[in-house]
Coordinates of all heavy atoms in Angstrom, one line a residue:
Y98 N 90.1 104.1 69.9 CA 89.7 102.8 69.4 C 88.3 102.8 68.9 O 88.0 102.3 67.8 CB 89.8 101.7 70.5 CG 89.2 100.4 70.1 CD1 89.8 99.5 69.3 CD2 87.9 100.0 70.6 CE1 89.2 98.3 68.9 CE2 87.3 98.9 70.3 CZ 88.0 98.0 69.4 OH 87.4 96.8 69.0
E99 N 87.4 103.4 69.7 CA 86.0 103.5 69.2 C 85.8 104.4 68.0 O 85.0 104.2 67.2 CB 85.1 104.0 70.4 CG 85.2 103.1 71.7 CD 84.6 101.7 71.4 OE1 84.1 101.5 70.3 OE2 84.8 100.9 72.3
Y100 N 86.7 105.4 67.9 CA 86.6 106.3 66.8 C 86.9 105.5 65.5 O 86.2 105.6 64.5 CB 87.6 107.5 66.9 CG 87.8 108.2 65.6 CD1 86.8 108.9 65.0 CD2 89.0 108.1 64.9 CE1 87.0 109.6 63.8 CE2 89.2 108.7 63.7 CZ 88.2 109.4 63.1 OH 88.4 110.1 62.0
R101 N 88.0 104.7 65.6 CA 88.3 103.9 64.4 C 87.2 102.9 64.0 O 86.9 102.7 62.9 CB 89.6 103.1 64.7 CG 90.8 103.9 64.6 CD 92.0 102.9 64.4 NE 92.0 101.7 65.2 CZ 92.3 101.7 66.5 NH1 92.7 102.8 67.1 NH2 92.2 100.6 67.1
R102 N 86.6 102.3 65.1 CA 85.5 101.4 64.8 C 84.3 102.1 64.1 O 83.7 101.5 63.2 CB 85.1 100.7 66.1 CG 84.2 99.5 65.8 CD 84.0 98.7 67.0 NE 83.3 99.3 68.1 CZ 82.9 98.7 69.2 NH1 83.3 97.5 69.4 NH2 82.3 99.4 70.2
S103 N 84.0 103.3 64.6 CA 82.8 104.0 64.0 C 83.1 104.3 62.6 O 82.3 104.3 61.7 CB 82.5 105.2 64.9 OG 83.5 106.1 64.8
R104 N 84.4 104.7 62.3 CA 84.7 105.1 60.9 C 84.6 103.8 60.0 O 84.2 103.9 58.9 CB 86.1 105.6 60.9 CG 86.6 106.1 59.5 CD 87.7 107.1 59.7 NE 88.8 106.6 60.4 CZ 89.8 105.9 59.8 NH1 89.8 105.7 58.5 NH2 90.8 105.5 60.5
D105 N 85.0 102.7 60.5 CA 85.0 101.5 59.7 C 83.5 101.1 59.5 O 83.2 100.6 58.4 CB 85.7 100.3 60.5 CG 87.2 100.5 60.6 OD1 87.7 101.4 59.7 OD2 87.8 99.9 61.4
H106 N 82.6 101.3 60.5 CA 81.3 100.8 60.3 C 80.5 101.8 59.3 O 79.7 101.3 58.5 CB 80.5 100.8 61.6 CG 80.8 99.6 62.4 ND1 80.4 98.3 62.1 CD2 81.6 99.4 63.6 CE1 80.8 97.4 62.9 NE2 81.5 98.1 63.8
D107 N 80.7 103.1 59.5 CA 79.9 104.0 58.8 C 80.4 104.4 57.4 O 79.8 105.1 56.6 CB 79.8 105.3 59.6 CG 79.0 105.0 60.9 OD1 78.2 104.0 60.9 OD2 79.3 105.6 61.9
G108 N 81.6 104.1 57.1 CA 82.2 104.5 55.8 C 82.9 105.8 55.8 O 82.7 106.6 56.7
S109 N 83.9 106.0 54.9 CA 84.7 107.2 54.9 C 83.9 108.3 54.2 O 83.0 108.0 53.4 CB 86.0 106.9 54.2 OG 86.7 108.1 54.0
Y110 N 84.3 109.5 54.4 CA 83.7 110.7 53.7 C 84.1 110.6 52.2 O 83.5 111.3 51.4 CB 84.2 112.0 54.3 CG 85.7 112.2 54.2 CD1 86.2 112.9 53.0 CD2 86.6 111.9 55.2 CE1 87.6 113.1 52.9 CE2 87.9 112.1 55.1 CZ 88.4 112.7 53.9 OH 89.7 112.9 53.8
R111 N 85.1 109.8 51.9 CA 85.5 109.7 50.5 C 84.6 108.7 49.7 O 84.8 108.5 48.5 CB 86.9 109.1 50.4 CG 87.9 110.2 50.9 CD 89.3 109.7 50.8 NE 89.6 108.8 51.9 CZ 89.7 107.5 51.8 NH1 89.5 106.9 50.7 NH2 90.0 106.7 52.9
S112 N 83.5 108.2 50.3 CA 82.7 107.2 49.6 C 81.7 107.9 48.6 O 81.1 107.3 47.8 CB 81.9 106.4 50.6 OG 81.1 107.2 51.4
C113 N 81.4 109.2 48.8 CA 80.5 109.9 48.0 C 81.1 110.3 46.6 O 82.3 110.6 46.5 CB 80.1 111.2 48.6 SG 79.3 111.0 50.2
K114 N 80.3 110.2 45.5 CA 80.8 110.4 44.2 C 80.4 111.8 43.7 O 79.4 112.3 44.1 CB 80.3 109.4 43.2 CG 80.8 108.0 43.5 CD 80.3 107.0 42.5 CE 80.9 105.6 42.8 NZ 80.4 104.6 41.9
S115 N 81.2 112.4 42.8 CA 80.9 113.7 42.3 C 80.5 113.5 40.8 O 81.0 112.7 40.1 CB 82.1 114.6 42.4 OG 81.8 115.8 41.7
S116 N 79.6 114.4 40.4 CA 79.2 114.4 39.0 C 80.3 115.0 38.0 O 80.3 114.8 36.8 CB 77.9 115.0 38.8 OG 77.9 116.4 39.2
R117 N 81.1 115.9 38.6 CA 82.1 116.6 37.8 C 83.4 115.9 37.8 O 83.9 115.5 38.8 CB 82.2 118.0 38.3 CG 81.0 118.9 38.1 CD 81.2 120.3 38.6 NE 80.0 121.1 38.3 CZ 79.9 121.8 37.2 NH1 80.8 121.8 36.3 NH2 78.8 122.5 37.0
R118 N 84.1 115.9 36.7 CA 85.4 115.1 36.5 C 86.5 115.8 37.4 O 87.2 115.1 38.0 CB 85.8 115.1 35.1 CG 87.0 114.2 34.8 CD 87.4 114.2 33.3 NE 86.3 113.7 32.6 CZ 86.1 112.3 32.4 NH1 86.9 111.5 32.9 NH2 85.1 111.9 31.6
N119 N 86.6 117.1 37.3 CA 87.7 117.7 38.1 C 87.5 117.5 39.6 O 88.5 117.3 40.3 CB 87.8 119.2 37.7 CG 86.5 120.0 38.0 OD1 85.5 119.3 38.3 ND2 86.6 121.3 37.8
K120 N 86.3 117.6 40.0 CA 86.0 117.3 41.5 C 86.4 115.9 41.8 O 87.1 115.6 42.8 CB 84.6 117.6 41.8 CG 84.2 117.2 43.2 CD 82.7 117.4 43.4 CE 82.3 117.0 44.8 NZ 80.8 117.1 45.0
H121 N 86.1 115.0 41.0 CA 86.4 113.6 41.2 C 87.9 113.4 41.2 O 88.4 112.6 42.1 CB 85.8 112.7 40.1 CG 86.0 111.3 40.2 ND1 85.5 110.6 41.2 CD2 86.7 110.4 39.4 CE1 85.9 109.3 41.1 NE2 86.6 109.2 40.0
R122 N 88.6 114.1 40.3 CA 90.1 113.9 40.3 C 90.7 114.5 41.6 O 91.6 113.9 42.2 CB 90.7 114.6 39.1 CG 90.4 113.8 37.8 CD 90.9 114.6 36.6 NE 90.7 113.9 35.4 CZ 90.8 114.4 34.2 NH1 91.2 115.7 34.0 NH2 90.6 113.6 33.1
R123 N 90.2 115.6 42.0 CA 90.7 116.2 43.3 C 90.5 115.2 44.5 O 91.4 115.1 45.3 CB 90.1 117.6 43.6 CG 90.7 118.7 42.7 CD 90.2 120.0 43.3 NE 88.8 120.2 43.3 CZ 88.1 120.8 42.3 NH1 88.8 121.1 41.2 NH2 86.8 120.9 42.4
R124 N 89.3 114.7 44.5 CA 89.0 113.8 45.6 C 89.9 112.5 45.5 O 90.3 112.0 46.5 CB 87.5 113.4 45.6 CG 86.6 114.6 45.9 CD 85.1 114.2 45.8 NE 84.8 113.3 46.9 CZ 84.4 113.8 48.1 NH1 84.3 115.0 48.3 NH2 84.0 112.9 49.0
R125 N 90.1 112.1 44.3 CA 90.9 110.9 44.1 C 92.4 111.1 44.6 O 93.0 110.3 45.2 CB 90.9 110.4 42.7 CG 89.6 109.7 42.3 CD 89.7 109.2 40.9 NE 90.8 108.2 40.8 CZ 91.1 107.7 39.6 NH1 90.5 108.0 38.5 NH2 92.1 106.8 39.6
R126 N 92.9 112.3 44.3 CA 94.2 112.7 44.7 C 94.3 112.7 46.2 O 95.2 112.2 46.8 CB 94.7 114.0 44.1 CG 95.1 113.9 42.6 CD 95.9 115.2 42.3 NE 95.1 116.4 42.3 CZ 94.3 116.8 41.3 NH1 94.3 116.1 40.2 NH2 93.6 117.9 41.4

Side-chain angles (χ1 to χ4, degrees):
Y98 168 78
E99 301 297 352
Y100 166 69
R101 284 201 316 278
R102 189 166 68 174
S103 65
R104 182 159 56 89
D105 293 340
H106 280 291
D107 296 332
S109 170
Y110 64 88
R111 290 181 281 105
S112 61
C113 299
K114 295 182 180 179
S115 171
S116 59
R117 293 179 176 269
R118 186 179 301 275
N119 57 352
K120 176 183 177 183
H121 181 64
R122 287 175 179 171
R123 281 196 298 271
R124 294 177 71 86
R125 285 183 61 187
R126 281 197 296 272

